[in-house]
Amino acid sequence: EGSQHSIRVNTQRSGDDRWNGPGASIKRSTRLEFPTMKICIQSGTPLGTSDIYKPYYESLKRHAQRVAAPSTVVEFPNLGKNYPGAARSMTHLHFVAHETVRSAMRAQREGFDAFVTNCLDLGYDELREMVDIPSIFMTQATLAYYSQLAPNFAFIVNNVRLHHFFQALAERYKITARMAPSSYVDFAFTDYANLWNKPQPFIDEFLRVAKGLVAQGATSLYPAGLYLSQWLIDQGIREVDGAIIMDPLAIAIKTAEMRQQLAPIGIKR
């Protein structure tokens, strides 16, 4: 059902910083830490199957290690089946959603504490029905967090079909009133390696489109798919003309950790 690829960070802590559970008396001097947890983040990209995806996969691992708590294990499994060109077809997306649900069920069986979808937020209703562990929908979590930092947002995605798909996500989450005019860059999935190895032409194209969105009033930018976000992080591009560039992977990981930390005090679904 697909191989597992993971990063693991061992906890090295000093002192008696235990997770005390619900109803515990916490002294003012006690430092409350995240308990050990495992997060499964399901990519729609076959990360471990081809060298073309290696720069993206390495970027995910580096950034997850920077972001996650020391006691958190993050894994990026491949889908049980691969569907090339999924972003170009709603039919293919349907099959990817099916594999995403199967991956979540497998994660629950294998003892993961949380499941994170890719930025397409596939299986939104099905995951809530089929698994009991928290399901974090990357785009939903990211847009919710950045609503605290910027008054509006614009999507900047990697092709025209995804542009329409993310418009539909905004309608699902009832946030179109906060959405500024959005657009897309015309990057092909076959450009994965060149994005990292020969980045300048892609940087120029991204900035051209992004600056146009900011000129129309966007105060934050959501780059998608996730590889576009990771590539921008690796290029050191975190804002454009004052507009924040969102970090979906970081928000998804921290949301998963927060969900586990809040559950013992009764904040859960």
Side-chain angles (χ1 to χ4, degrees), residues 29 35 64 66 69 94 103 115 145 149 153 189 256 265:
S29 61
R66 283 194 296 264
H94 170 79
S103 179
F115 181 82
Y145 179 78
L149 305 184
F153 70 93
F189 283 100
I265 60 173

Side-chain angles (χ1 to χ4, degrees), residues 34-110:
F34 290 112
T36 301
M37 75 176 302
K38 291 173 61 181
I39 303 172
C40 177
I41 302 180
Q42 183 58 68
S43 175
T45 302
L47 295 171
T49 63
S50 172
D51 286 344
I52 194 173
Y53 303 120
K54 185 175 181 179
Y56 173 40
Y57 183 35
E58 294 299 321
S59 176
L60 288 171
K61 292 191 291 183
R62 283 194 306 271
H63 198 44
Q65 189 164 17
R66 283 194 296 264
V67 168
S71 56
T72 297
V73 173
V74 181
E75 296 195 6
F76 298 91
N78 286 321
L79 285 173
K81 295 181 181 179
N82 296 326
Y83 295 95
R88 297 191 296 270
S89 164
M90 292 302 294
T91 302
H92 281 164
L93 287 177
H94 170 79
F95 290 117
V96 173
H98 174 75
E99 293 298 326
T100 299
V101 174
R102 293 181 70 236
S103 179
M105 296 170 67
R106 182 170 60 246
Q108 180 166 278
R109 290 196 305 270
E110 294 177 359

Side-chain angles (χ1 to χ4, degrees), residues 179-206:
M179 188 168 69
S182 300
S183 191
Y184 62 95
V185 290
D186 205 8
F187 295 174
F189 283 100
T190 52
D191 289 327
Y192 267 91
N194 286 334
L195 282 165
W196 274 268
N197 297 333
K198 300 176 182 178
Q200 195 56 52
F202 301 101
I203 292 173
D204 294 342
E205 172 64 6
F206 176 85

